[in-house]
Amino acid sequence: MLETLAHTLRRHPDRPAVLGATRTGAVRTKATFGDLADLADHYTAALHARGTGRGSTVGVAVRPGPRALAVMLAAHRLGARAAVLDPGAGPDVLRARLALARPDIVLADATAQAVAGWARPLARRAHLALPDLAELGPVATVGPRLPGCAPALDIGVQAVPLPPPSDDDSDAVIVFTSGTTSQPRAVVHTRSSLAAGMTTVAELVRPEAGRPVLGGTFFVLVPSLASGAPVALPARSPRVLARQLRRLAPQATYLTPPQLRRLLAEGGRFSGRVWTGSAPASADLLTRVKRAGAEEAWGVYALTELFPGSAVEQADKAAFTGEGDLVGAPLPGVVAKTDASGELLLSGPAARDRYLGEESDMWIATGDQARLDAGRIVLEGRRKDMVLRHAENIYPGLYEPSLHVPGVELALLVGVPTGDGDERLVAVVQPRPGADRDTLRAALAGPLERMGSARPDAVLLAGIPLSGRSLKPDRAATARLAARHLTERRRG
């Protein structure tokens, strides 16, 4: 796929490739196909001149956009692997992660270096933090420099012959997913697993040349651009994003569930097919997206270890009446099964090769309890989220979908320890903006009654905390919120 992209960039150099938006939503071109090709060639030569090649690791702290994509293309061209840095992880975690990855060079734009330096107090307010990047390895600046930045990547570089493109199945990318400062964990994708994942996305979305796609992830950019479709990076402001969608009328849109919810609250409208993932997407959310103009609304089940795994369209999800969360049939090439404990296992060409520092393993243990229903995957909850009440194991994911009645934005079931080894089960429900709370409680009565022995001890209407890059519901923070609520109720 990356080789296809490289050829496409050269075939249509004058066409817009990466698009942005003004505050009015007007479309502006951030880079043409030719710009991307030139930038990738430039970075390839500069990295090669610094000794980067097969077996090298390149740390990447560059904002999503043309430069970040060009850096990834350059590393791929040289047979190096890219280790993606996340400013939201915190400096201590990043130090531990990069100590594991051991980059030969860290490429950072001026913004990332400012977060690690003079702008640290301002960045902290946005929950961004980086250690001094020089602690992680040699640093070079990509893009415009600001005072205090490391030297530019291409400073003093002279034209040198490049090696032939790498064609082996070496490591392509390292993405950190979890773990602690003492035991960080990272997913390693090879060139073949990365290509397989992007091919699956291309076959699923079917982007048409010349028609824009909206989305900011690597798995949106590469398949779309390789198909000749320009990609618009989503505006951060929901209000501007709504204007951007109206002006752009994309053939396909990929946004996370929190982005969709904020956009719908602004009265945003859609065109073409809409895809969402990275966090749970309820049937109600997908239905609202279709009512807002989307031809189709898809929920994608994906992991860092395998992207994508399955997909389900709104009509099928809304028609599902069983317990649990229907996430669709495994996509072509993906094999799904459950082990003796009911945990979902996945495998396929797009599966990660291994975790960094560990042996290869063809099966991915997802951490999700699940069952297969006529070949479709139905999630029943995260194994680690199990609540133990009255000696009964309760998997929240089995019941949470039923709480998404009209007027509900998000809903979680969390356990609150009672001090004697047992837990109380609390339903924390986030109302949609403007929803009447009395009406909402009445609508929840039926689903709560049908939960039987899993009926919660208390129902709390409150905002659910979010965390991480994808703004997933934070169960630990929600459980703490529920605990405070129960304590206040007892005192009252």
Side-chain angles (χ1 to χ4, degrees):
M1 179 67 69
L2 287 171
E3 288 81 2
T4 301
L5 173 57
H7 292 306
T8 302
L9 296 180
R10 285 301 181 200
R11 280 204 310 271
H12 309 291
D14 298 326
R15 290 185 183 177
V18 181
L19 310 174
T22 67
R23 291 193 62 81
T24 64
V27 179
R28 64 184 184 91
T29 300
K30 297 173 73 73
T32 65
F33 279 77
D35 292 336
L36 281 176
D38 292 342
L39 205 54
D41 287 350
H42 192 62
Y43 291 161
T44 301
L47 285 170
H48 179 61
R50 287 173 174 260
T52 303
R54 288 177 175 83
S56 298
T57 300
V58 179
V60 182
V62 183
R63 287 168 298 170
R67 293 190 186 93
L69 180 57
V71 165
M72 300 294 284
L73 290 172
H76 188 270
R77 169 75 170 76
L78 294 169
R81 63 183 184 181
V84 181
L85 301 178
D86 176 13
D92 294 338
V93 173
L94 278 173
R95 285 191 188 94
R97 290 176 172 181
L98 271 298
L100 179 63
R102 297 181 181 178
D104 299 282
I105 186 171
V106 175
L107 302 184
D109 57 22
T111 299
Q113 294 179 68
V115 168
W118 63 268
R120 184 175 286 137
L122 296 174
R124 195 176 294 120
R125 297 178 192 172
H127 305 290
L128 300 176
L130 285 170
D132 182 352
L133 294 175
E135 297 176 10
L136 308 178
V139 181
T141 298
V142 170
R145 292 180 67 248
L146 292 174
C149 284
L153 171 64
D154 54 359
I155 189 168
V157 171
Q158 298 179 352
V160 293
L162 295 178
S166 179
D167 59 0
D168 60 355
D169 192 22
S170 56
D171 293 349
V173 66
I174 301 171
V175 184
F176 292 92
T177 59
S178 59
T180 64
T181 54
S182 59
Q183 291 184 311
R185 203 169 202 204
V187 169
V188 181
H189 276 283
T190 63
R191 297 163 71 91
S192 63
S193 68
L194 194 64
M198 289 186 289
T199 298
T200 300
V201 171
E203 293 172 347
L204 185 64
V205 179
R206 307 184 308 279
E208 298 177 16
R211 298 182 59 198
V213 171
L214 185 136
T217 70
F218 189 68
F219 275 90
V220 171
L221 281 161
V222 172
S224 300
L225 291 172
S227 301
V231 178
L233 303 179
R236 294 184 181 180
S237 160
R239 185 168 298 176
V240 176
L241 180 55
R243 296 169 183 161
Q244 182 184 19
L245 281 168
R246 188 168 59 250
R247 296 277 196 108
L248 196 67
Q251 60 172 312
T253 296
Y254 181 89
L255 295 170
T256 64
Q259 287 175 310
L260 289 178
R261 288 192 291 268
R262 290 196 292 264
L263 183 62
L264 288 166
E266 286 290 338
R269 301 287 299 176
F270 298 96
S271 61
R273 300 182 303 280
V274 176
W275 309 82
T276 190
S278 301
S282 66
D284 177 68
L285 177 61
L286 297 180
T287 299
R288 291 167 62 198
V289 168
K290 284 186 82 167
R291 287 175 180 166
E295 296 172 11
E296 299 173 2
W298 291 81
V300 180
Y301 177 62
L303 304 90
T304 307
E305 292 88 343
L306 194 158
F307 188 102
S310 67
V312 61
E313 210 277 323
Q314 175 272 340
D316 290 333
K317 187 149 187 164
F320 180 71
T321 58
E323 291 185 331
D325 184 17
L326 175 69
V327 293
L331 292 169
V334 177
V335 180
K337 67 178 183 179
T338 56
D339 66 11
S341 69
E343 182 175 8
L344 177 65
L345 306 179
L346 297 177
S347 187
R352 57 92 185 97
D353 178 67
R354 67 191 187 282
Y355 294 102
L356 192 60
E358 301 180 18
E359 297 296 321
S360 296
D361 183 0
M362 68 177 290
W363 288 101
I364 296 167
T366 64
D368 287 317
Q369 287 289 120
R371 69 179 187 276
L372 296 178
D373 182 332
R376 303 179 302 176
I377 300 171
V378 180
L379 301 183
E380 299 181 334
R382 295 287 294 170
R383 291 169 60 83
K384 67 179 181 181
D385 297 330
M386 183 192 76
V387 178
L388 179 62
R389 185 181 63 171
H390 310 320
E392 180 182 1
N393 295 340
I394 299 172
Y395 290 96
L398 194 59
Y399 305 99
E400 287 167 348
S402 68
L403 299 178
H404 284 84
V405 299
V408 171
E409 191 93 280
L410 289 172
L412 292 183
L413 289 168
V414 295
V416 177
T418 62
D420 59 0
D422 208 352
E423 292 180 279
R424 297 193 70 191
L425 185 66
V426 180
V428 183
V429 177
Q430 177 175 310
R432 195 183 303 168
D436 181 80
R437 296 195 167 212
D438 290 337
T439 302
L440 189 55
R441 286 187 181 276
L444 286 168
L448 291 170
E449 183 66 32
R450 290 192 295 274
M451 289 172 66
S453 62
R455 181 167 182 161
D457 301 295
V459 177
L460 171 62
L461 300 186
I464 290 176
L466 306 177
S467 65
R469 247 182 332 186
S470 301
L471 296 178
K472 295 181 181 180
D474 188 327
R475 287 187 180 273
T478 304
R480 292 193 293 270
L481 176 69
R484 290 196 298 271
H485 167 72
L486 292 179
T487 299
E488 292 168 359
R489 176 180 289 184
R490 285 196 298 269
R491 289 173 179 169

